[in-house]
Coordinates of all heavy atoms in Angstrom, one line a residue:
F66 N -30.0 16.6 -44.1 CA -29.1 15.8 -43.5 C -27.7 16.0 -44.0 O -27.4 16.6 -45.1 CB -29.5 14.4 -43.6 CG -29.6 13.9 -45.1 CD1 -28.5 13.2 -45.7 CD2 -30.7 13.9 -45.8 CE1 -28.7 12.8 -46.9 CE2 -30.9 13.6 -47.0 CZ -29.9 12.9 -47.8
V118 N -27.0 26.5 -38.4 CA -25.9 26.7 -37.6 C -25.4 25.6 -36.8 O -26.1 24.9 -36.1 CB -26.2 27.9 -36.5 CG1 -25.1 28.2 -35.7 CG2 -26.9 29.0 -37.3
F121 N -20.0 23.5 -31.8 CA -19.4 22.5 -30.9 C -18.1 23.1 -30.2 O -17.4 23.8 -30.9 CB -19.0 21.2 -31.7 CG -18.6 19.9 -30.7 CD1 -19.7 19.5 -30.0 CD2 -17.5 19.6 -30.5 CE1 -19.5 18.4 -29.1 CE2 -17.1 18.5 -29.8 CZ -18.1 17.9 -29.1
E166 N -17.4 7.8 -19.2 CA -18.7 8.4 -19.5 C -19.9 7.6 -19.0 O -19.7 6.4 -18.8 CB -18.8 8.7 -20.8 CG -17.8 9.6 -21.5 CD -17.8 9.6 -23.1 OE1 -18.3 8.8 -23.6 OE2 -17.3 10.6 -23.6
Y254 N -31.2 -8.2 -23.7 CA -29.9 -8.9 -23.5 C -30.2 -10.4 -23.0 O -31.2 -10.6 -22.2 CB -29.0 -8.2 -22.5 CG -28.3 -6.9 -23.1 CD1 -28.9 -5.7 -22.9 CD2 -27.2 -7.1 -23.9 CE1 -28.3 -4.6 -23.4 CE2 -26.5 -5.9 -24.5 CZ -27.1 -4.8 -24.1 OH -26.5 -3.6 -24.6
S270 N -13.8 1.6 -38.7 CA -13.9 2.8 -39.4 C -15.2 2.8 -40.2 O -15.6 1.8 -40.8 CB -12.7 2.8 -40.4 OG -12.8 4.1 -41.3
N334 N 4.8 -28.9 2.6 CA 5.4 -27.8 2.1 C 5.9 -27.8 0.8 O 6.7 -28.8 0.5 CB 6.5 -27.4 3.2 CG 7.4 -26.2 2.7 OD1 8.5 -26.3 2.2 ND2 6.8 -25.1 3.0
T336 N 7.1 -25.7 -2.7 CA 7.7 -24.5 -3.4 C 7.8 -24.8 -4.9 O 8.1 -26.0 -5.3 CB 9.1 -24.1 -2.9 OG1 10.0 -25.2 -3.1 CG2 9.0 -23.8 -1.4
N359 N -32.1 1.8 -47.2 CA -32.6 1.5 -45.9 C -32.3 0.0 -45.5 O -32.8 -0.5 -44.5 CB -34.1 1.8 -45.7 CG -34.9 0.9 -46.6 OD1 -34.4 0.3 -47.6 ND2 -36.1 0.7 -46.3
A364 N -21.0 -8.8 -42.7 CA -20.5 -10.1 -42.4 C -19.1 -10.1 -41.9 O -18.3 -9.1 -42.2 CB -20.6 -11.0 -43.6
N386 N 2.7 -35.6 11.5 CA 3.0 -35.3 13.0 C 4.3 -34.4 13.2 O 5.0 -34.9 14.0 CB 2.8 -36.4 13.9 CG 1.4 -37.0 13.8 OD1 0.4 -36.2 13.7 ND2 1.3 -38.3 14.1
T543 N -39.4 -8.1 -20.0 CA -39.3 -9.2 -19.4 C -38.8 -10.2 -20.6 O -39.0 -10.0 -21.7 CB -40.6 -9.8 -18.9 OG1 -40.3 -11.0 -18.2 CG2 -41.6 -10.1 -20.0
K777 N -0.2 14.1 -37.3 CA -1.3 13.4 -36.5 C -1.6 12.0 -37.1 O -2.6 11.4 -36.8 CB -2.6 14.2 -36.5 CG -2.5 15.5 -35.8 CD -3.8 16.2 -35.6 CE -3.7 17.6 -34.9 NZ -3.3 17.3 -33.6
I816 N 8.8 -2.6 -19.0 CA 9.0 -1.4 -19.6 C 8.7 -1.6 -21.0 O 9.2 -2.6 -21.6 CB 10.5 -0.7 -19.4 CG1 10.7 -0.5 -17.9 CG2 10.7 0.5 -20.2 CD1 12.0 0.0 -17.6
F829 N -14.3 11.5 -45.5 CA -15.6 11.5 -46.1 C -15.6 11.9 -47.4 O -14.8 12.7 -47.8 CB -16.6 12.3 -45.3 CG -17.1 11.9 -43.9 CD1 -16.4 12.4 -42.9 CD2 -18.1 11.0 -43.9 CE1 -16.9 12.0 -41.5 CE2 -18.6 10.6 -42.6 CZ -18.0 11.1 -41.5

Side-chain angles (χ1 to χ4, degrees):
F66 58 94
V118 180
F121 194 70
E166 301 170 335
Y254 287 96
S270 175
N334 173 260
T336 61
N359 63 339
N386 298 327
T543 188
K777 296 185 179 296
I816 297 177
F829 283 99

